[in-house]
Amino acid sequence: MSKRILGIVLVLILIIGAASYLFVFKQKNQSVSSNTSYQMTPQTIEIFYLPHPPAVAIVRKVEPIITEFPKFTVKEFSFDDPQAKSVIDKYNLTEHMPIVIFIGGKDTFTVDGKSVELKNFPEGDAFAPSFEGGWSYEDLREILKSLN
């Protein structure tokens, strides 16, 4: 293959790669933008998470519980996404945590007489024991039942 043809092929690969990147970047920003502008209601659930497999796995386990209560609307935000900064700042989320869930703007609730904060990994499902929170999937279900 001549140097001229090789040069043309490389330029085409770069153009296709750049176009693909811009398309994906635009799609990602469009979906985040729609997540950051919404009306907060008592039925709005906001899930903030680190975009790492252990935290994402917890989000995936929480989603089916929330779907049991169709009156709730879910908004998910990655802590690493600069587009979510305004929402993260709204709650002053400055400490390192894998996940935190707000329902109607609150992350702390009373379940069976005890205070439950929907922060960090749920009990018994912590990737790192130091980040195990004081809540369970059943606590989340009970909170949603009480607010339904």
Side-chain angles (χ1 to χ4, degrees):
M1 186 180 301
S2 74
K3 287 184 180 183
R4 180 182 162 105
I5 293 174
L6 183 60
I8 291 171
V9 169
L10 287 174
V11 168
L12 286 173
I13 290 172
L14 286 172
I15 290 170
I16 292 170
S20 298
Y21 172 79
L22 290 174
F23 176 77
V24 169
F25 183 76
K26 182 175 180 172
Q27 293 291 63
K28 180 180 175 190
N29 283 345
Q30 284 177 346
S31 66
V32 171
S33 295
S34 66
N35 276 343
T36 58
S37 59
Y38 56 91
Q39 180 68 33
M40 170 62 76
T41 72
Q43 291 78 36
T44 302
I45 298 174
E46 297 160 303
I47 302 173
F48 298 88
Y49 63 94
L50 290 173
H52 305 294
V56 172
I58 300 305
V59 173
R60 298 300 168 247
K61 290 178 182 181
V62 163
E63 290 169 336
I65 294 169
I66 296 169
T67 60
E68 295 173 22
F69 306 90
K71 129 181 188 180
F72 291 94
T73 302
V74 179
K75 304 293 179 187
E76 295 179 359
F77 304 95
S78 165
F79 281 119
D80 288 355
D81 189 337
Q83 297 267 336
K85 184 177 180 345
S86 63
V87 186
I88 292 167
D89 289 348
K90 174 177 90 171
Y91 290 114
N92 195 29
L93 299 174
T94 57
E95 77 179 78
H96 183 79
M97 66 190 91
I99 186 169
V100 62
I101 302 170
F102 287 84
I103 304 170
K106 297 177 8 182
D107 68 342
T108 304
F109 301 87
T110 301
V111 177
D112 295 330
K114 77 172 187 171
S115 180
V116 174
E117 185 176 22
L118 299 173
K119 178 179 163 184
N120 290 323
F121 292 111
E123 294 172 344
D125 202 4
F127 170 73
S130 60
F131 285 107
E132 183 173 81
W135 66 283
S136 68
Y137 297 113
E138 192 54 38
D139 289 334
L140 176 61
R141 186 175 278 111
E142 288 302 316
I143 292 165
L144 294 174
K145 276 184 197 175
S146 72
L147 298 173
N148 203 15

